[in-house]
Amino acid sequence: MERILFYLIAAVIIVFSVLTVTSRRILRAAVYLLFVLMATAGFYFMLNYNFLGAVQLTVYSGGIVVLIVFAVLLTAHMDHKLDPPDRLKALAVGLLSLFGMGITLYALRSFPWAVTALPEGAYDIEAIGMRLLSYGDKGYVLPFEVISVLLLAAMVAAIIIAKKSTSND
Amino acid sequence: MEESGYFDFSPIVNNIHESLAASFSPGWAMAIAWALIGITLILFAALSVIILVYVERKVAAFFQVRLGPMRVGPWGLLQTVADFIKLLMKEHITSRNADKFLFNLAPFIIVTAAFLGLGAIPFALGLHIFDINIGLFYITAVSSVGVLGILLGGWAGNNKYSLIGALRSGAQIVSYELSITLSLLAVVVLAGSLQLSEIIASQENGWWIFKGHISAWIAFVIFMIAGTAETNRGPFDLAEAESELTAGFHTEYSGIKFAMFFLAEYLSLFIIASVGATVFFGGWLPFHIGTWQAFNHIMDYIPPIVWFFGKVAGIIGIIMWFKWTFPRLRIDQLLILEWKYLLPINLFNLILVSFIALMGWYF
């Protein structure tokens, strides 16, 4: 059962990833991207890592894809179609992707994976929270704070850019 | 839970599970269990939406000193059933210049998001589809996907009214999502868990609305406002403001696809109300007052499922009351309300509630 689900989700991810980059309508590409991201969340739920799955749903599906769709809604017209890429570029990108896939596959094949059983039940979210804010060994408080500052700076910058355009009229 | 005098559904659920496991291979038993859950959920959703639409029409009528639907069945009880059959038989119209794929996809996205949320709600002790350890976060996560259905549906119709409706609704839902999550976090801080069954268990000796006093009240008021906005209902129904935008984002939809938007709207109303009931009012727990043993015993005679639906009905009643009382807000008022009032109050409340929780100033 799990295996069937795994292959189903994997197939969804592969098919829609390809469709995302080949679609010539920008909003459809965004929707295909949404399917890819949601299927990835499905993997996290399958691994019992519910927290990461829900984060994936909120941040990527509910946040980033909504943002992309919003931007497209404001800018693009329905009949607008992207020009098909020229052959040379398509070929170069294809080769590059194959090369990347080769490296990844080689790395996956050569890495000595230690097979472990799925942990009983779901990951403990209290442990995640503690780890995120701990100073000690394997604590993540520094990255956490750095990211907070980065996000704050991005927000301030966004507000300043938005303000500028209104004062210029 | 020390006193387990409440009616527990888990033996029934386990019985069904065991009889399935006995007669089928594990894979098939799982598949059949999923199918059963799915069918039950769909039937439940259809039934509750039919009832909710009827109730909404009656409530609206009473607010406007009318009788509401009276002709079909006794007191018009069958009116919404008749309406539903009518919707099913209507023609599907897809306008020629619409983006057909997205046009047909949008209703499914929004309905799927609503159903996913329904899965995590505890209806009674043991009557819970999945009691995930991040229940509350999961519900907010899946409901954040629903807005995509509105955005895509509004765009794919290739109609400027629906596009404006979709943009308004997107801005609104994305903003109010913050408030709703932060107000729920206030109770999460007090209860110390995101798992819905544990949040309910923490209210065994009193609901959070009473135990958490001032900060829980602030959180609940904000939750009600933001919840009304999340479900796109009046006074925040700018996305489908009839007087300006014909029908907003679903202008181009007809028949069953329109019905799906309708279904999702009422389902999300139900989900918001049941999350509110679970988090602030103790879910399926009966109403107890401190040490009044006799009173508490009488309250225990009312089964948990009745308590749950009673609380949900109460909250839905308040939300409907909002809709038929307040005038619709303008989009700038709506965003000012969220970003300049609710969000700062909410952040302050979160600090306050953390302080209260640290000092142990709750009951």
Side-chain angles (χ1 to χ4, degrees), chain A residues 15-166:
Chain A
V15 169
F16 283 109
S17 305
V18 172
L19 279 175
T20 306
V21 287
T22 51
S23 172
R24 283 172 56 205
R25 297 187 189 185
I26 189 153
L27 199 62
R28 285 198 186 180
V31 174
Y32 297 140
L33 181 66
L34 167 78
F35 288 149
V36 174
L37 296 169
M38 287 186 83
T40 317
F43 272 147
Y44 296 145
F45 280 113
M46 266 181 78
L47 287 170
N48 264 338
Y49 204 164
N50 299 332
F51 180 71
L52 195 59
V55 168
Q56 170 91 6
L57 278 181
T58 336
V59 175
Y60 288 99
S61 314
I64 289 178
V65 175
V66 168
L67 215 64
I68 293 173
V69 169
F70 220 84
V72 174
L73 248 57
L74 286 171
T75 50
H77 190 259
M78 169 142 288
D79 302 326
H80 179 73
K81 273 189 180 178
L82 299 174
D83 302 325
D86 61 68
R87 288 277 169 77
L88 201 67
K89 269 186 193 164
L91 197 70
V93 169
L95 282 177
L96 206 62
S97 311
L98 276 178
F99 183 64
M101 193 171 89
I103 291 178
T104 320
L105 275 179
Y106 175 73
L108 284 175
R109 284 279 170 199
S110 58
F111 186 80
W113 295 100
V115 181
T116 50
L118 267 180
E120 271 305 305
Y123 283 83
D124 187 13
I125 126 155
E126 256 173 54
I128 298 172
M130 287 294 182
R131 192 60 71 71
L132 212 55
L133 289 179
S134 91
Y135 302 95
D137 201 19
K138 289 187 180 169
Y140 283 88
V141 74
L142 184 66
F144 182 80
E145 291 297 331
V146 170
I147 289 169
S148 314
V149 173
L150 182 70
L151 285 176
L152 185 68
M155 268 195 282
V156 172
I159 290 169
I160 285 174
I161 290 170
K163 276 211 158 162
K164 224 180 197 170
S165 62
T166 47

Side-chain angles (χ1 to χ4, degrees), chain B residues 32 35 38 62 70 181:
Chain B
I32 290 169
F62 287 128
M70 286 297 278
T181 315

Side-chain angles (χ1 to χ4, degrees), chain A residues 1 5 25 27-28 31-32 34-35 45 50-51 54-55 57-58 61-62 66 69-70 73-74 78 122-123 125-126, chain B residues 27 34 97 99 101-102 105 132-134 137 141-142 144 147-148 151-152 155-156 158 163 167 170-171 174 194:
Chain A
M1 198 70 190
L5 266 182
R25 297 187 189 185
L27 199 62
R28 285 198 186 180
V31 174
Y32 297 140
L34 167 78
F35 288 149
F45 280 113
N50 299 332
F51 180 71
V55 168
L57 278 181
T58 336
S61 314
V66 168
V69 169
F70 220 84
L73 248 57
L74 286 171
M78 169 142 288
Y123 283 83
I125 126 155
E126 256 173 54
Chain B
W34 284 355
N97 292 323
D99 188 332
F101 170 67
L102 294 180
L105 180 76
I132 194 170
N133 65 335
I134 48 154
F137 182 34
V142 292
S144 69
V147 63
L148 272 168
L151 285 174
L152 294 176
W155 191 79
N158 203 0
L163 182 60
L167 281 172
V174 170
L194 281 168

